[in-house]
Amino acid sequence: MSKSYVIGVDYGSDSVRSVLVDAINGDEISSSVFYYPRWKRGEYCDAASSRFRQHPLDYIEGLEATVKDCLQKSGIMNVGEAVKAISVDTTGSTPIAVNEQGIPLALLDEFRDNPNAMFVLWKDHTAVKEAKEINDYNETSAVDYLKYVGGVYSSEWFWAKLLHIFRVDEQVRKATFSWVEHCDYIPFLLTGGTHASAIKRGVCSAGHKSLWAAEFGGLPPNAFFTDIDPLLDGVVDRLFSETYTADKPAGNLSAEWAERLGLSVSVTVGIGAFDCHMGAVGGQIEPYYLSKVMGTSTCDMLVAPKEEVQDTLVKGICGQVDGSIIPGMVGMEAGQSAFGDAYAWLKQVLLWPTKQVLQDVEGLNDAVREQVANGLEEKLLVSLSEKAAELSVTSTSELAIDWLNGRRTPDADQSLKGAITGLHLGTDAPRIFRAIVEATCFGAKAIVDRFIEQGIPVKGLIGLGGVAKKSPFIMQMMANVMNMPIRIHKSEQTCAIGAAMFAATAAGLYDRVEDAMKAMGQGFERTYVPEEKWVPIYAERYERYKALGAFVEGKESLAVTV
């Protein structure tokens, strides 16, 4: 039998990674990473105002560079002729304004340096006010249009970001024909689309972020949006009513992109989806097992048979959508706005004085300064983990809240802030680090508790992503706090591998994505089980975490000593 290959493209927050995969057994032939140069230079972003924008050229250049590099690295003669399909996953909600031809406005000369004409990254929180207005208005609506997104609309999502851009930039608003998620734009680009109305929208992005639901006959009506702000008048009519699951083809590779990538026009381009959704598939998700994609933030995925979910709606999560994650099942999404980002924040706080002082130390040349700084940055979190693991913890030890980038779930509120309490003169860096790690694990437990409280059982945990692979300390604490095992998947690239599985299904190599998962999945490398001595300690501290969170949120006074 001749070989068949597929390509999975995974767009992350800092880089894009492509993998060339054997479609028969899932073997990774080659991979390539491209770090977004404009993003790396900090262009178009302002962390102080929670503005995070990415230029479409970072995405386009990265797509071409990584796919071509994968083919070259493979060492297989004429490998491009054996590639059957390509699928992409992206961060989300990461939308952009496009003109009538479907071209992102930032690719036009007049908008090329305008952040409002660029992709609004998932963690951009400039639309907090707009999200609140959507939530407030929905409370008065005769139809609950937020029922399938957990009842709370987030500033991280499609409509809030659109309204914010329209309000702050009249020029962009007037030039906007449609508003498109990153995961829907790339397949449109690859297939040579020439009109925004032809963009095929995935049910993943549409159902979880855009308020699309079959029950509503599509998106909410124009009146829903114009009552929130007349600036939205007519936008919904230029969007979409039909959606597609990620196992379906968006079309074939255009002649232009076939030439640019070194592939054939017969290559199938799959419908796009969010990274966490395809990552859950790459990580071999099972019904009622919470698949946690753990990186800068977390996305927590759960699938369940439709006939078992029936009318159960889980409040305060990021949506439940028929056909997202695995077609034919109900896909549920939750997550934390800061996970790895919380550890990275502490790392930068601790490194700041060292880096500044190094500049003033006499007798050191620039190469030595750079070597020392890089060495500290590389080793810091590892050393903190080692020391933190040695600490004894009591009910009154330092305690933190993990909302350093707001709270995604349960109950989205991006205006919330993090906190650390119980500090004293004996508090050192390992103790603060441990408190922050513990807080991220407590935040994860709050999500599991919400599913269970709302009638959706959680049978176990699956750990995916960089943190799951690289930090035994964090994963063991997660198992202890959750009081349930967590299996760690072998693959370091579950999102890209998941995209490859969907590509193989879209090309007809497999009838169902479950079949692709079984054939191409790499299995699990280890399981962390709860340590009995820690379970009751963390159970007590979790109650204190909840009390501190309620105080930070302003819901009640601090009734317990923390």
Side-chain angles (χ1 to χ4, degrees), residues 6 84-86 247-249 267-268 270 501-510:
V6 290
K84 304 300 181 184
I86 182 170
D247 60 338
K248 304 300 183 187
V267 169
T268 298
M501 291 175 179
F502 274 107
T505 310
L509 301 177
Y510 296 97

Side-chain angles (χ1 to χ4, degrees), residues 403-407 410-418 549 552-554:
W403 303 333
L404 291 165
N405 197 27
R407 184 180 63 206
D411 306 317
D413 187 344
Q414 307 308 153
S415 68
L416 294 174
K417 308 298 181 184
V552 170
E553 200 170 355

Side-chain angles (χ1 to χ4, degrees), residues 332-344:
M332 304 185 188
E333 177 190 339
Q336 294 163 267
S337 293
F339 196 79
D341 266 355
Y343 318 139

Side-chain angles (χ1 to χ4, degrees), residues 49-51 122-128 155-156 337 405-406 414:
S49 62
S50 294
R51 188 186 78 191
W122 63 269
K123 67 179 182 178
D124 185 296
H125 291 163
T126 53
V128 170
S155 65
E156 293 183 347
S337 293
N405 197 27
Q414 307 308 153

Side-chain angles (χ1 to χ4, degrees), residues 436-454:
I436 291 173
V437 171
E438 188 184 60
T440 58
C441 293
F442 287 153
K445 179 171 172 55
I447 292 170
V448 170
D449 286 356
R450 177 58 63 90
F451 276 113
I452 295 172
E453 290 165 3
Q454 299 284 313

Side-chain angles (χ1 to χ4, degrees), residues 284-301:
Q284 295 172 274
I285 191 171
E286 300 175 34
Y288 299 112
Y289 278 77
L290 197 64
S291 289
K292 298 179 64 62
V293 181
M294 291 176 273
T296 55
S297 65
T298 75
C299 282
D300 299 352
M301 304 287 102

Side-chain angles (χ1 to χ4, degrees), residues 148-149 181 183-184 187 199-215 218-219 240-248 270-274 277-278 306 318-333 502:
Y148 292 109
V149 294
E181 286 284 358
C183 63
D184 296 326
I199 298 173
K200 291 186 175 180
R201 316 286 182 135
V203 72
C204 165
S205 59
H208 286 276
K209 311 301 181 188
S210 305
L211 300 180
W212 183 94
E215 179 182 323
L219 298 166
F240 57 94
S241 57
E242 189 174 2
T243 64
Y244 304 84
T245 53
D247 60 338
K248 304 300 183 187
I271 295 293
F274 291 145
H277 292 231
M278 286 191 170
K306 287 189 290 184
C318 302
Q320 55 190 84
V321 177
D322 183 3
S324 73
I325 308 177
I326 294 182
M329 290 193 183
V330 175
M332 304 185 188
E333 177 190 339
F502 274 107

